[in-house]
Every structure is written in structure tokens, then in C-alpha cells.
Amino acid sequence: MSLLDIQNLSVKIEKKQVLDGVNLSINAGETHVLMGPNGAGKSTLGYTIMGNPRYTVSDGKIMFDGEDITSLSPDKRAAKGIFLSFQQPLEVPGITLESFIRNAIQQQTGERVKLFQFQKELKATMQLLNMDESYASRDLNVGFSGGERKKSEILQLLMLKPKLAILDETDSGLDVDAVRTVSKGIEEYQKRQNGALIIITHSTKILESLNVDKTHVLVKGKIVKDSDGTLVQKINDEGFEQFIK
């Protein structure tokens, strides 16, 4: 049984059709890359899987771990083990990064977090990501650089340990060193959790250290090509024009 099974999914924003009959199946431990030109619907698919209420499912369904989650709210999907990172992580004044992660874990598990063990794991994970420990006590993303915000997202990923992680342009705007660090965090997630990944990206630098199982090309709300990891290099060499035609 697939961990994620998207069946004939069509989605609208208000009256505009943005996804049209998308089918996608992902097993535990697999890494899938979603690529396509701007405006193809890649981020829309990620937001729809996460349950963003802005997007209306007009047809099809989303199965996760054997359960139909099409109508579930985002918080319930998160509790079941789905994680979405954002292209532009928001600032959240008034709550520290540490408190945010601790509260998220408690909401996800329904159990009280043991503070000493949590702080020990948080410290070790921040070291893995080359994050200054002082960021733990700072308000979430407030005053963070673009690179630190993306590291913060990967820190949350590693601490929350979801079954499925959707990474939306996580490498956007990062320098070479930051991309390496973020890639290292993603690789660590795969090792620790045997977690499934959907990586939405225009760049392939973040993929260099990862084993890509499948690549999907999305054009005008439809998946027009499915292949293995070799398709990434083909797109690098030839672009998306061949699929648009």
C-alpha cells in the first residue's frame, strides 16, 4: 500500500482550475521530485496535500497511509505525519523557535514533551545544521536571514519526524554552502525516518546528494511526464520546452 495515493485530483482557486486530473503514488522511503515551468501548479499540489483551505478539491481524492484525508483540516493532516516547508517562511513574533517546535511535537503526539531530552535533541540537530544555538531562544524567523529561515524549516522537519515531507523550493535563494547544509539535513531525515519526500524545485543542486526515485513534470496543472532520477539531468540539459509542446 502506498503511503500517499493521489487519485484523479482536480483543484480550483475560486473558479480557476489549477490542477487537472493529477495521479501520484509515493511509497514510504521514496524521494520524488516535482518540476515544471512557473505557474504549472507545483506549489498548489503541495498546499492541497497539506489541506490549505484556499484550494478547493473539485474532483478526486487524497489517500494517506490508507485513509482518505481529502476533507481533513491542515492540523489533522500534520498530526498524521505530513509536513510542508514554505518557499518564504513567515515571521512569528512572540513565540520562540524552541517553543514552536516543542508545541508542535505535543500537538502531533498528544503527549507531554520531556524538556531535558527535547533540548538535548534540539541542540544536537542545530549543530548538524550549523545553526547558532541562540536561534532557539529567538522569535520564530524574526530577523533570520533567508538561509537561517530555511535551516529553521529543516530543523523543524528533523525534530517533528513526519512520515511525508513536502519541500517547496527549499533551496530558493540559498548560497552554495547553505544548500549543502540543507541537503545534509534532508539526507539525515531520510536516514532517520525512512521518510517519504516530495521536493518541489527549479534547481538540482539540492538533489546532488540525494537518491531520487521518481521525477514528475507538471505543466498547466497536469503531470505530463513520469520517469526516474535521470529525468532531472535531461531537464537540466534541455529545459521544459519539450514537455510544453
Side-chain angles (χ1 to χ4, degrees):
M1 181 180 66
S2 300
L3 177 65
L4 178 71
D5 189 18
I6 296 174
Q7 303 172 9
N8 195 39
L9 186 69
S10 295
V11 174
K12 292 182 178 179
I13 299 178
E14 296 177 350
K15 295 182 179 180
K16 182 181 179 182
Q17 189 85 27
V18 285
L19 293 178
D20 185 8
V22 171
N23 292 285
L24 183 64
S25 182
I26 299 176
N27 297 318
E30 289 185 345
T31 295
H32 289 231
V33 175
L34 190 61
M35 304 185 79
N38 289 331
K42 303 182 299 297
S43 294
T44 293
L45 181 56
Y47 286 129
T48 302
I49 295 169
M50 196 68 240
N52 188 319
R54 184 184 175 206
Y55 302 90
T56 302
V57 175
S58 56
D59 195 17
K61 61 182 177 180
I62 303 169
M63 302 292 296
F64 183 71
D65 215 5
E67 179 182 351
D68 187 347
I69 63 167
T70 312
S71 301
L72 289 187
S73 60
D75 61 314
K76 290 181 179 177
R77 298 188 197 205
K80 290 184 179 297
I82 302 177
F83 175 93
L84 172 67
S85 75
F86 297 97
Q87 288 186 35
Q88 298 178 329
L90 298 175
E91 293 185 355
V92 185
I95 181 169
T96 65
L97 174 59
E98 178 180 343
S99 295
F100 178 82
I101 294 174
R102 189 173 71 248
N103 289 334
I105 293 172
Q106 288 181 167
Q107 290 294 321
Q108 183 186 61
T109 63
E111 299 176 359
R112 188 178 181 85
V113 172
K114 296 180 179 178
L115 187 59
F116 176 78
Q117 183 60 39
F118 166 79
Q119 290 180 331
K120 181 180 177 182
E121 184 178 353
L122 182 68
K123 180 179 179 179
T125 307
M126 293 184 80
Q127 289 175 346
L128 174 74
L129 296 173
N130 296 323
M131 286 187 74
D132 191 311
E133 291 176 29
S134 66
Y135 279 84
S137 58
R138 292 176 57 177
D139 286 0
L140 179 61
N141 293 328
V142 176
F144 287 24
S145 68
E148 295 299 340
R149 290 188 184 206
K150 297 300 177 74
K151 287 182 184 181
S152 169
E153 295 265 278
I154 300 303
L155 176 65
Q156 294 166 47
L157 167 68
L158 291 173
M159 293 296 294
L160 287 167
K161 305 176 178 67
K163 296 177 182 178
L164 170 67
I166 305 164
L167 306 182
D168 189 5
E169 303 286 355
T170 298
D171 51 346
S172 176
L174 299 184
D175 61 27
V176 174
D177 291 334
V179 168
R180 286 200 192 102
T181 300
V182 168
S183 296
K184 184 179 179 182
I186 296 170
E187 191 176 8
E188 187 68 20
Y189 162 73
Q190 289 180 307
K191 289 178 182 176
R192 291 183 186 181
Q193 293 302 118
N194 191 34
L197 277 166
I198 299 176
I199 300 177
I200 301 169
T201 185
H202 286 101
S203 169
T204 56
K205 289 182 180 179
I206 199 169
L207 305 175
E208 290 176 359
S209 62
L210 303 176
N211 177 46
V212 175
D213 295 288
K214 292 186 180 179
T215 306
H216 311 277
V217 179
L218 195 67
V219 176
K220 295 181 180 179
K222 295 183 178 184
I223 292 180
V224 298
K225 180 70 174 179
D226 298 287
S227 188
D228 57 20
T230 60
L231 182 58
V232 172
Q233 187 58 49
K234 183 177 176 65
I235 292 170
N236 261 352
D237 295 337
E238 302 176 18
F240 295 112
E241 192 65 29
Q242 57 190 308
F243 304 111
I244 295 173
K245 291 179 180 179

